[in-house]
Amino acid sequence: MAHHHFVPETYHTAIGAHDPVLSVASGDTISTTTVDAGGSDATGKPITPGGNPQTGPFYLEGAEPGDTLAVTFDKLAPNRKIGYTSGVVAANVLDFGYRPEFDDDRNRLDWEIDFENNTATPVGFDDLPVGRLRLPLKPMVGCFGVAPPRGQAISTATSDTHGGNMDYREFVQGVTVFLPVFVEGGLFHVGDGHAVQGDGEIVGTGIEISFDVTFTLRLLKGKTIQWPRAINETHAMAVGNARPLDQATQHATTELIRFLQDDFGLDARSVHVLMGQAVEYDVGNVYDPAYTMVGKMPLEILESIGATRQ
Amino acid sequence: MAHHHFVPETYHTAIGAHDPVLSVASGDTISTTTVDAGGSDATGKPITPGGNPQTGPFYLEGAEPGDTLAVTFDKLAPNRKIGYTSGVVAANVLDFGYRPEFDDDRNRLDWEIDFENNTATPVGFDDLPVGRLRLPLKPMVGCFGVAPPRGQAISTATSDTHGGNMDYREFVQGVTVFLPVFVEGGLFHVGDGHAVQGDGEIVGTGIEISFDVTFTLRLLKGKTIQWPRAINETHAMAVGNARPLDQATQHATTELIRFLQDDFGLDARSVHVLMGQAVEYDVGNVYDPAYTMVGKMPLEILESIGATRQ
Amino acid sequence: MAHHHFVPETYHTAIGAHDPVLSVASGDTISTTTVDAGGSDATGKPITPGGNPQTGPFYLEGAEPGDTLAVTFDKLAPNRKIGYTSGVVAANVLDFGYRPEFDDDRNRLDWEIDFENNTATPVGFDDLPVGRLRLPLKPMVGCFGVAPPRGQAISTATSDTHGGNMDYREFVQGVTVFLPVFVEGGLFHVGDGHAVQGDGEIVGTGIEISFDVTFTLRLLKGKTIQWPRAINETHAMAVGNARPLDQATQHATTELIRFLQDDFGLDARSVHVLMGQAVEYDVGNVYDPAYTMVGKMPLEILESIGATRQ
Amino acid sequence: MAHHHFVPETYHTAIGAHDPVLSVASGDTISTTTVDAGGSDATGKPITPGGNPQTGPFYLEGAEPGDTLAVTFDKLAPNRKIGYTSGVVAANVLDFGYRPEFDDDRNRLDWEIDFENNTATPVGFDDLPVGRLRLPLKPMVGCFGVAPPRGQAISTATSDTHGGNMDYREFVQGVTVFLPVFVEGGLFHVGDGHAVQGDGEIVGTGIEISFDVTFTLRLLKGKTIQWPRAINETHAMAVGNARPLDQATQHATTELIRFLQDDFGLDARSVHVLMGQAVEYDVGNVYDPAYTMVGKMPLEILESIGATRQ
């Protein structure tokens, strides 16, 4: 199990079958950096065009279409003191015709990260209540994925079966995400770190910031999945990406059923009865072209009926 | 503050301007019962046609269009040993063309309530893992509301600005829900108790059961709201009911903005900046004609910036 | 077959089981009037609150739940010289964040009807190109229906299985519309005449005007349908009312399949193959809470394969 | 104005910045062929993997991001006797839970083209009414477009601002379609010919067949558009591609407003008033990941108010 230290020189704003920057074996760990959504690095300097630029892609040796790539985020750490957000809730999550009651169009607000207290504060609001905000950090990666099927390259502004810009606030340090492999090597991309983010990314940004990231890639040979799945200490999860949110919910629910049947040794009947009274949903991105819904099942409940991941 | 004990004799499967069964003053408490979604009472006997029959309506003295009715659920308690659910995840939350991998069409499964251990177990699954399930109870009311505007009477199968069949699993004992008053007296209805329910009510039912309920009605004179709002020990909430879920999200988000501006003394700018990085969403019903989304803000965060409910 | 002349004195802005104003036998014809969407009569005088006030309801003798009520619009004629529209395309059919490039907020524009030339012209636009418009009249009824199921009364701002505010521009003189009967007598309501209207009613109005209407009601005893159907000289049609438009399309498509199987003697296989290459869709209202989609099949094609209405 | 005769050797199932097969000047005409959606050529032989394989891309000299590429379809002609369709209406346009009333799962039906009478007939249905069908041909191209923005390559199963799989039955011989240029040369792709198709492509196919196609490309230098526009003998059109259909409607409506303001010399106020009472909508594809809606305005009406294309 090698531990690679990779310094990126190129970035991509579409996730596709780009030339890999590094080839790794299953179980290898990679430490690298990501620029912020606008393309600025740890010094705050813009070094590549904005739009969730991705570090990578990383080639996972042996991965072929029909396999699954598992990524465990070992470390997700903002690496500078200033992040930014926009400051207005987006029109697509507001009633038709609603207008915010302020004119100021500061589309980019700075936030200062207090690493000692592990909080973030919006800068320049001393005169307003929100200036007193000390929001606990919860670093997450907004956008990551593998090369999509059919020779596609898909914008990092959106998401689909390959992952992409899901902006799910539980994609934090410690989570393992499973992604369907569509091309040889899988071609893992990662970027768009957020120091913290509300559900839905409803202003169109989390607290956008550059990251130090460490992650481990594993190959699940011959394992085929349809949509991203994930597991953390408390839940088994399945992700659907689509518009409307209804359809994202359909994908997430169906994939969670498959996840519980495939990996937890449960029969279909048990899964349906269980889901009805115990499923949980979390809302990922509801700002981008595709919205994200996450279906979840508590591991504690699964374990209580003897269903453990196989 | 009177405490009324009311024994229902009639039920409604549409929420509208029906003759009130009881008139109460602001601050009065009412103890009564609800039948289950299928119309059966505490003895399990069907006594009224099914479809979320509602107890009520209760007339709140002094309530006029443009006011707000606040209901606090003081007690929500299943009052019999057997509840029921359906057993198949509904087609509208599954991928188009998906078919469950079992033929058995048991659309009504019994669940046994263990009041000592506060759990529910599906009956007749001794041979399957789900038969081992002991799901902790979390009693909630699926459907309640006030008479809607424009002389409408709206089916208890759906929801709208007046409340209705929202099936939100945080509408439990202790929560206070605010409803816009559209007719004189408000005309509060309540029913459809669930011993426990998964997010979304994705099999079309929670564990449907009859309830003993106690609630207190209060009048907020001259207070006008657009959509249901709620408050519990941890969150301020706003509810949107519509399809697609995108639009429910729009209503919930917009109403939560108004809630924070109106009731927590926050300026619009602060609310937008705060919502972006701290909003939470919960999914209510995604089975009925109208879906339900709930926007939430942690009270702890509000308090930390000096915003308390006024 | 009696011909009734009815002068309305009351109007309803929800379609429900109101007291009937007249009882008629199957085959009877009724001549009456409708006020405009704002509640003004043929003299332009406001006589009832606005919101698509309905004339009726008319009781069709013998109609019971599970039957079908057929209405043929024999005459639909604006009965005054001035109609009105709003003048801005609605936010819900425009890109999120789009703002019209004019400030003037004339939400009510007058249109003058030229009965000699059968056209309509917006008033007060002499200085703009649209002032030269002479739009051919195509009088239609925006809102009509029968009392809905479950004791509901549904706002005339929206639509559902019972009909309602569908705003479909082919509901003109000569068409026969079939509506499912949910209550005894069916209880037919009609109103909301438009001198002409664009697809979708995207400014929220057609040219709103009072009408002289003549229609014939017929009972199809024992005939059960799920959604409104219609037939004119060229097409068999089925209507779906829901949001999003995707779901309205689902209802319309499914009902059209049933229509062709039930009434045109076609087997399911033939209907599916035929629909794939010959179905047509028209867009009804895309402004109201429920949107309207119409699925259509040309009668000429049906006749060419020996399928005639039975 | 050169006339190029091009024989394709490669095909693409994603529309992107592939190496151009031919470079042409503005005004040049190209005659070539397209394989059917399944990858078979004029002899019926499969020569490339299926999924709407595209001929091209064609490089339009001088085209740069921010320009518009205009394509006029001079000739669209099926070039063999047998096409195919699927035979079951797709689940996503049917009510949730609806099941077709036949078991036979013939997902591929042959249709015979009668070039003399200009009709198509499904093969193998002698025993059913649909076997008598002689459907008039209306050849159209289901999928065409230019390389999309951000370095994307987008599957020919879907559509977006760059065009793609719109399956609109008015994209027939004679129409001119305008596409936004995102990369140098525009890179025009074309394929997926249908001998005829119902609205929506609701069985997932038109009558899929290989084509002889002739088209002319023109460069509109410095002309910037957001979504595909088109013009034929009767209408100015704008296309929106998205899910749900509501959002496709938003894009189409907004782009049609811009089209009428930009190209027909109309002020915004005139356009809004006119659209309200005269807009028409057609439904394109409602089967693929992105749905297609087309907003239209009759040229006759535009001309009557002095608005001609500039």
Side-chain angles (χ1 to χ4, degrees), chain A residues 209-230:
Chain A
I209 200 160
S210 55
F211 264 33
D212 291 335
V213 300
T214 298
F215 55 90
T216 300
L217 298 183
R218 286 187 187 82
L219 177 61
L220 281 62
K221 193 67 198 171
K223 172 81 182 172
T224 303
I225 64 178
Q226 310 299 317
W227 286 94
R229 299 174 179 181

Side-chain angles (χ1 to χ4, degrees), chain C residues 41-64:
Chain C
D41 66 10
T43 70
K45 199 173 72 174
I47 60 167
T48 187
N52 299 331
Q54 302 282 294
T55 298
F58 300 93
Y59 186 100
L60 178 59
E61 291 159 15
E64 292 170 303

Side-chain angles (χ1 to χ4, degrees), chain C residues 85-89 91-96 98 100-102 104-107 109 111 122 125 128-136 169 196-203 205-207 227 243-247 249-255 257-258 261 265-283 286 291 293 301 304-307, chain D residues 85-89 91-96 98 100-102 104-107 109 111 122 125 128-136 169 196-203 205-207 227 243-247 249-255 257-258 261 265-283 286 291 293 301 304-307:
Chain C
T85 71
S86 89
V88 187
V89 176
N92 61 311
V93 291
L94 292 170
D95 280 353
F96 294 111
Y98 170 91
E101 293 167 17
F102 53 94
D104 175 19
D105 223 4
R106 277 191 282 172
N107 273 321
L109 315 174
W111 291 64
F125 289 96
L128 294 181
V130 79
R132 292 193 283 272
L133 186 63
R134 304 287 178 271
L135 203 58
R169 70 200 294 198
V196 62
Q197 179 206 286
D199 277 349
E201 206 197 36
I202 63 171
V203 292
T205 72
I207 299 181
W227 286 92
R243 258 202 209 188
L245 202 42
D246 309 26
Q247 193 176 353
T249 305
Q250 295 173 343
H251 296 319
T253 307
T254 309
E255 186 70 15
I257 289 174
R258 283 190 289 252
Q261 290 186 218
L266 288 174
D267 61 288
R269 176 52 112 169
S270 286
V271 168
H272 278 250
V273 172
L274 178 64
M275 294 264 290
Q277 308 312 319
V279 76
E280 301 172 7
Y281 289 104
D282 280 351
V283 172
V286 290
Y291 289 170
M293 183 67 85
I301 291 178
S304 78
I305 61 170
Chain D
T85 70
S86 88
V88 187
V89 175
N92 61 312
V93 291
L94 292 170
D95 280 354
F96 293 110
Y98 170 92
E101 294 167 17
F102 52 95
D104 175 20
D105 221 4
R106 279 191 283 173
N107 273 321
L109 315 175
W111 291 63
F125 289 96
L128 294 182
V130 78
R132 292 192 284 271
L133 186 63
R134 303 289 177 273
L135 203 58
R169 69 200 298 199
V196 62
Q197 179 206 287
D199 276 348
E201 206 197 35
I202 63 170
V203 292
T205 73
I207 299 182
W227 286 93
R243 257 202 211 188
L245 201 42
D246 310 25
Q247 193 175 354
T249 305
Q250 294 172 343
H251 296 319
T253 307
T254 310
E255 187 70 13
I257 289 173
R258 284 189 288 251
Q261 290 186 219
L266 288 173
D267 61 290
R269 176 52 111 169
S270 285
V271 168
H272 278 250
V273 171
L274 178 64
M275 293 265 289
Q277 308 312 320
V279 75
E280 301 172 7
Y281 288 103
D282 281 351
V283 172
V286 289
Y291 289 170
M293 184 67 84
I301 291 178
S304 78
I305 61 170

Side-chain angles (χ1 to χ4, degrees), chain A residues 60-295:
Chain A
L60 178 59
E61 290 159 15
E64 293 169 303
D67 294 341
T68 289
L69 176 153
V71 56
T72 300
F73 291 111
D74 306 305
K75 177 185 168 189
L76 296 176
N79 61 14
R80 67 177 198 231
K81 281 209 63 156
I82 300 290
Y84 70 92
T85 69
S86 88
V88 187
V89 175
N92 60 312
V93 291
L94 292 170
D95 280 353
F96 293 111
Y98 171 91
R99 300 273 184 287
E101 293 167 18
F102 52 94
D103 290 326
D104 175 19
D105 221 6
R106 277 190 285 172
N107 273 321
R108 187 178 163 126
L109 315 174
D110 281 343
W111 291 63
E112 191 169 343
I113 311 298
D114 176 344
F115 286 104
E116 206 160 312
N117 293 299
N118 210 36
T119 59
T121 298
V123 177
F125 289 95
D126 294 347
D127 51 336
L128 294 182
V130 79
R132 293 192 284 271
L133 185 64
R134 303 289 178 273
L135 203 58
L137 301 188
K138 189 174 177 182
M140 51 162 280
V141 271
C143 183
F144 59 91
V146 293
R150 286 183 77 127
Q152 289 186 94
I154 294 180
S155 163
T156 51
T158 192
S159 58
D160 205 332
T161 52
H162 70 295
N165 200 30
M166 300 174 282
D167 292 309
Y168 176 44
R169 69 202 296 200
E170 297 300 329
F171 285 158
V172 295
Q173 199 166 292
V175 73
T176 296
V177 184
F178 306 96
L179 297 164
V181 173
F182 298 110
V183 304
E184 279 194 23
L187 300 180
F188 181 74
H189 300 62
V190 63
D192 189 27
H194 299 160
V196 64
Q197 178 206 285
D199 277 347
E201 206 196 35
I202 64 171
V203 292
T205 73
I207 299 182
E208 307 293 335
I209 200 160
S210 55
F211 264 33
D212 291 335
V213 300
T214 298
F215 55 90
T216 300
L217 298 183
R218 286 187 187 82
L219 177 61
L220 281 62
K221 193 67 198 171
K223 172 81 182 172
T224 303
I225 64 178
Q226 310 299 317
W227 286 94
R229 299 174 179 181
I231 202 149
N232 62 14
E233 290 197 356
T234 59
H235 288 84
M237 295 173 258
V239 181
N241 301 313
R243 258 201 210 188
L245 202 41
D246 309 25
Q247 193 176 355
T249 306
Q250 294 172 343
H251 296 320
T253 307
T254 309
E255 188 70 14
L256 184 56
I257 289 174
R258 284 189 289 252
F259 194 8
L260 298 183
Q261 291 186 218
D262 297 352
D263 288 21
F264 289 84
L266 288 174
D267 61 288
R269 175 53 112 168
S270 286
V271 169
H272 278 250
V273 172
L274 178 64
M275 294 264 290
Q277 307 313 318
V279 76
E280 301 172 6
Y281 289 103
D282 280 351
V283 172
N285 187 298
V286 289
Y287 170 80
D288 292 332
Y291 290 168
T292 295
M293 183 67 85
V294 181

Side-chain angles (χ1 to χ4, degrees), chain B residues 5-33:
Chain B
H5 293 265
F6 174 74
V7 180
E9 291 177 2
T10 56
Y11 299 89
H12 297 281
T13 56
I15 296 180
H18 309 296
D19 289 339
V21 293
L22 185 71
S23 181
V24 305
S26 180
D28 281 5
T29 295
I30 299 157
S31 289
T32 187
T33 58

